[in-house]
Amino acid sequence: MKERHIVTVKALRGTIQIPGDKSISHRSVMFGSIAEGTTTINGFLPGDDCLSTISCFQKLGVDIQMIDEQSVVVKGKGIQALKEPSDILDVGNSGTTIRLMMGILANTPFHSTLIGDESIAKRPMKRVTGPLRDMNIHLDGRKDANFTPLVIRGGKAKGIHYTSPVASAQVKSAILLAGLQAEGTTSVTEPAKSRDHTERMLEAFGVKVEEEGLTVSIEGGQTLRGTHVEVPGDISSAAFFLVAGAIIANSRIEIQKVGMNPTRTGILDVLSNMGASIETVKETKETAEPYADLVVEASHLKGTEVGGDLIPRLIDEIPIIALAATQAEGITVIKDAAELKVKETNRIDTVVNELTKMGANIEATEDGMIIHGGAKLHGANVNSHGDHRIGMMLAVASCIAEGETIIENRDAVSVSYPQFFAHLESLQQ
């Protein structure tokens, strides 16, 4: 089913547990695959992207078993045990899979070819292939290895110090993963701190990681040891219900076991600045990745400014923040977010175009958007353009729009949140 019809809802009330964190689910399978010994994963996200990661590593000879939808066992034998794939490695729609796999495959003594879907084919890869080439890795691809298909022929990697022009966890992670098997020390310095799931998980697998300011370093020749990974709920998925609960009258939603990694909680800072009523309860900090239950209630929001070092902490949540801003009092300015142009879609243009169809007063800028609040949205025929976060944002928007909204390509949400529409309907009053 490619379309979804949604009409105005009176309120959203109840309790949900969102799917496991996508970033952590990816890494748990990848790191378990190159570790020595068995890794058990609980809370795994069985979305399309993470299933692509499992498929790729199975093609590389790793024994990976899904015990149930949220439990995975990875029987790793070390990175040296990876085998040359007999087929192309297809990452589907997953930018995390392709970029981190480049780092892992950088030191393998065999040939690998990586491809993805139409969206991946448009996303820039030189931000990873460039520094990997500097590490003496042999890489080829379309437009001088800036676009897929990409071919990796390995090499004897040498550690480098790389100063990244963008704060990107994918870039940082790919370089650090290549550095695991490189000669000497590999370090990455960013303009702002990006998500640190890789650093946290490497340490959980027994790898020593050094951090000083905005620089992360790793010494080559270290071995990962299989472990247990507890995956908390994905705050990027929770964001849609946090905003829905705040902008839909008479709503109260409790969202259980949401990941509270400080490099990911920018959405909470923004919603707090806007006046949203969000309570944090049952917070747990004993695990590698902290988590908590969040309770959101209908709120009177006001406009705000979103930019600077906050952007890396909420880049995936900007589409739903834009929707929240359409219902706030005053003007919201989102800036320093040019990275949105190279996501699954150009999210600046896509958010502006689709919300404009529904009556929002929103305009695109070179690095973000300006949103005038107080809009009364109306039903329209809108399109996710194959972007899961756009699809979920439009679904929340349709709940407050007058009349019926038809969302085309709504199946894109399965990339990160297969149960999204079921959860949305379960909360409707």
Side-chain angles (χ1 to χ4, degrees):
M1 184 175 174
K2 292 187 177 181
E3 292 184 353
R4 188 78 184 197
H5 298 246
I6 302 179
V7 296
T8 311
V9 303
K10 294 179 180 178
L12 296 177
R13 302 185 72 86
T15 301
I16 58 171
Q17 183 164 333
I18 54 170
D21 188 286
K22 187 156 72 82
S23 297
I24 299 171
S25 294
H26 277 304
R27 286 163 174 77
S28 62
V29 170
M30 292 180 181
F31 295 5
S33 294
I34 62 174
E36 294 185 357
T38 299
T39 294
T40 55
I41 306 164
N42 185 51
F44 180 80
L45 168 65
D48 293 349
D49 275 10
C50 296
L51 295 178
S52 292
T53 292
I54 287 179
S55 174
C56 286
F57 279 93
Q58 286 174 331
K59 289 180 179 178
L60 289 163
V62 182
D63 182 356
I64 304 174
Q65 300 171 13
M66 291 197 70
I67 307 305
D68 56 43
E69 279 197 345
Q70 297 183 2
S71 302
V72 179
V73 176
V74 184
K75 297 182 179 179
K77 296 181 180 178
I79 194 167
Q80 296 84 0
L82 296 181
K83 299 177 181 178
E84 184 170 73
S86 59
D87 196 2
I88 288 171
L89 300 173
D90 188 346
V91 305
N93 187 245
S94 180
T96 300
T97 305
I98 193 167
R99 292 190 175 119
L100 270 63
M101 283 196 74
M102 280 192 271
I104 289 172
L105 294 172
N107 292 283
T108 52
F110 52 73
H111 172 283
S112 304
T113 300
L114 294 165
I115 63 166
D117 65 8
E118 289 184 15
S119 171
I120 287 293
K122 298 174 184 176
R123 298 175 71 173
M125 297 297 159
K126 190 164 279 188
R127 53 179 56 187
V128 172
T129 60
L132 288 184
R133 281 175 165 176
D134 291 343
M135 296 177 75
N136 196 39
I137 305 304
H138 302 295
L139 282 150
D140 298 299
R142 191 163 53 91
K143 299 290 184 181
D144 193 26
N146 193 30
F147 298 103
T148 58
L150 293 170
V151 176
I152 302 172
R153 291 176 286 117
K156 189 169 178 56
K158 298 182 183 299
I160 61 168
H161 175 75
Y162 183 66
T163 300
S164 177
V166 294
S168 167
Q170 293 180 3
V171 172
K172 174 178 64 177
S173 298
I175 297 168
L176 292 176
L177 288 169
L180 273 174
Q181 299 296 310
E183 179 184 320
T185 302
T186 298
S187 59
V188 181
T189 300
E190 299 182 287
K193 187 174 177 65
S194 65
R195 299 178 181 186
D196 67 355
H197 298 305
T198 290
E199 296 94 302
R200 287 172 180 256
M201 193 174 291
L202 282 174
E203 290 181 337
F205 276 82
V207 173
K208 186 177 181 181
V209 178
E210 300 284 348
E211 293 189 56
E212 184 176 343
L214 296 173
T215 299
V216 182
S217 303
I218 193 168
E219 191 70 29
Q222 298 190 65
T223 300
L224 282 73
R225 303 290 179 189
T227 187
H228 175 72
V229 180
E230 192 70 29
V231 183
D234 197 324
I235 195 168
S236 295
S237 295
F240 297 94
F241 286 103
L242 290 172
V243 170
I247 67 175
I248 299 174
N250 303 311
S251 293
R252 184 185 187 279
I253 306 171
E254 180 176 341
I255 312 170
Q256 297 179 330
K257 200 179 177 183
V258 180
M260 296 290 283
N261 183 311
T263 63
R264 295 284 300 282
T265 53
I267 179 69
L268 298 179
D269 294 343
V270 169
L271 290 177
S272 175
N273 291 340
M274 297 179 79
S277 174
I278 300 174
E279 183 184 2
T280 302
V281 295
K282 298 180 183 177
E283 191 163 8
T284 300
K285 295 183 178 180
E286 287 74 33
T287 54
E289 294 282 354
Y291 59 87
D293 294 354
L294 300 176
V295 179
V296 60
E297 296 184 335
S299 313
H300 178 76
L301 302 182
K302 59 181 184 295
T304 189
E305 183 172 292
V306 183
D309 290 351
L310 194 57
I311 294 297
R313 296 176 56 224
L314 49 65
I315 190 71
D316 286 337
E317 290 75 74
I318 287 178
I320 195 65
I321 290 171
L323 173 62
T326 70
Q327 302 306 299
E329 177 185 340
I331 297 173
T332 295
V333 177
I334 299 172
K335 62 181 184 178
D336 305 320
E339 187 73 6
L340 289 170
K341 295 179 179 179
V342 293
K343 290 291 185 177
E344 283 83 341
T345 58
N346 179 330
R347 284 185 179 159
I348 293 176
D349 291 346
T350 306
V351 168
V352 169
N353 292 340
E354 297 304 314
L355 284 179
T356 297
K357 292 178 184 177
M358 301 182 75
N361 185 352
I362 178 172
E363 58 190 279
T365 63
E366 187 61 31
D367 63 349
M369 55 195 86
I370 300 171
I371 306 112
H372 299 263
K376 291 187 177 181
L377 302 186
H378 55 75
N381 191 320
V382 292
N383 198 320
S384 78
H385 298 278
D387 188 326
H388 55 130
R389 303 203 193 278
I390 299 297
M392 288 185 279
M393 180 273 288
L394 292 171
V396 175
S398 64
C399 289
I400 58 170
E402 184 177 339
E404 182 182 65
T405 297
I406 299 174
I407 303 173
E408 296 184 11
N409 294 311
R410 63 101 177 182
D411 287 348
V413 305
S414 66
V415 162
S416 62
Y417 201 156
Q419 315 99 313
F420 174 76
F421 285 107
H423 283 179
L424 184 63
E425 289 170 6
S426 73
L427 296 170
Q428 292 179 17
Q429 302 293 303

